């Protein structure tokens, strides 16, 4: 991980014959966090932390990821972190990065491995309900949008979402009325929206 590395740095660092596979993602939409990159690599033979750091020409934090004996899913679990799709990351309000933001070594079908891991854990990704509620509250999404995109969330929170949508409309009406009063007080023609 590093605040300085980008996709080209990761791809260049892991373009080596002893790298079995790698995956990376630049996290540039995380809330209150500077843009930074994450990458995971599997090597044919052992490498020290310092050896891996030397692959990069920028400062990086290298943490060894060693799976438990017999755990064939540890790499997929690490790669899954790149999208923040797991419920533990969504519960923290982290941005859910699309699959298209993940870049991998040639031939590595990371999505199949992550889907298999998720199915094995019976842990399907859940939408970020807090973010959905905020989007409705700020008019970026309607209750109908939630019904169509996230039916489970709508079933659980439909009345609340409709109240938030109505609250947004009331807020807009109040702001418009304030604007009219300010324009009238200033002797300006009143803007009428239909």
């Amino acid at each position: 991980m590093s605040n300085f590395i980008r996709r080209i740095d990761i791809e260049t660092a892991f373009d080596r014959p002893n790298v079995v596979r790698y995956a990376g993602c630049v996290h540039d939409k995380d809330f209150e966090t500077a843009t930074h990159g994450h990458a995971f690599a599997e090597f044919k033979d052992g490498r020290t932390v310092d050896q891996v750091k030397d692959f990069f020409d920028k400062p990086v934090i290298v943490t060894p990821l060693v799976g438990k004996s017999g755990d064939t899913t540890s790499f997929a679990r690490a790669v899954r972190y790149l999208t923040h799709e797991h419920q533990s990351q969504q519960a923290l309000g982290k941005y859910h990065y699309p699959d298209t933001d993940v870049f991998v070594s040639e031939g590595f079908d990371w999505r199949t491995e992550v889907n298999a891991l998720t199915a094995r854990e019976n842990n399907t990704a859940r939408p970020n309900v807090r973010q959905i509620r905020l989007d409705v509250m700020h008019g970026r999404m309607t209750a109908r949008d939630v019904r169509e995109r996230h039916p489970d969330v709508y079933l659980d929170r439909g009345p609340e979402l409709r109240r938030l949508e109505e609250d947004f409309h009331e807020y807009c009406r109040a702001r418009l009325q304030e604007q009219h009063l300010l324009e009238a007080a200033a002797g300006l023609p009143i803007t009428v929206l239909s």
Side-chain angles (χ1 to χ4, degrees), residues 48-162:
T48 67
V49 167
D50 287 334
Q51 287 173 320
V52 176
K53 281 182 181 181
D54 288 343
F55 292 173
F56 296 89
D57 61 358
K58 298 175 180 175
V60 295
I61 298 168
V62 175
T63 304
L65 172 69
V66 179
K68 295 177 185 171
S69 180
D71 180 6
T72 58
T73 61
S74 60
F75 195 75
R77 191 172 292 107
V79 172
R80 179 173 61 190
Y81 174 79
L82 297 174
T83 62
H84 290 164
E85 67 192 66
H86 189 270
Q87 65 181 0
S88 64
Q89 299 303 306
Q90 288 299 292
L92 296 172
K94 292 192 174 189
Y95 179 80
H96 185 160
Y97 288 89
D99 287 4
T100 54
D101 284 5
V102 177
F103 50 91
V104 299
S105 51
E106 187 175 340
F108 175 32
D109 185 4
W110 70 275
R111 176 43 66 196
T112 297
E113 288 194 26
V114 168
N115 286 348
L117 169 65
T118 301
R120 181 175 162 195
E121 292 176 342
N122 194 20
N123 185 10
T124 57
R126 295 187 177 110
N128 183 337
V129 175
R130 183 176 195 286
Q131 186 61 54
I132 290 170
R133 291 169 60 228
L134 285 169
D135 286 345
V136 172
M137 185 178 93
H138 291 291
R140 294 185 293 260
M141 191 180 243
T142 65
R144 178 182 229 150
D145 293 334
V146 177
R147 180 186 174 113
E148 292 171 2
R149 295 181 204 165
H150 307 287
D152 288 338
V153 174
Y154 186 82
L155 284 173
D156 291 342
R157 299 189 177 243
E160 175 191 9
L161 295 168
R162 289 189 298 275

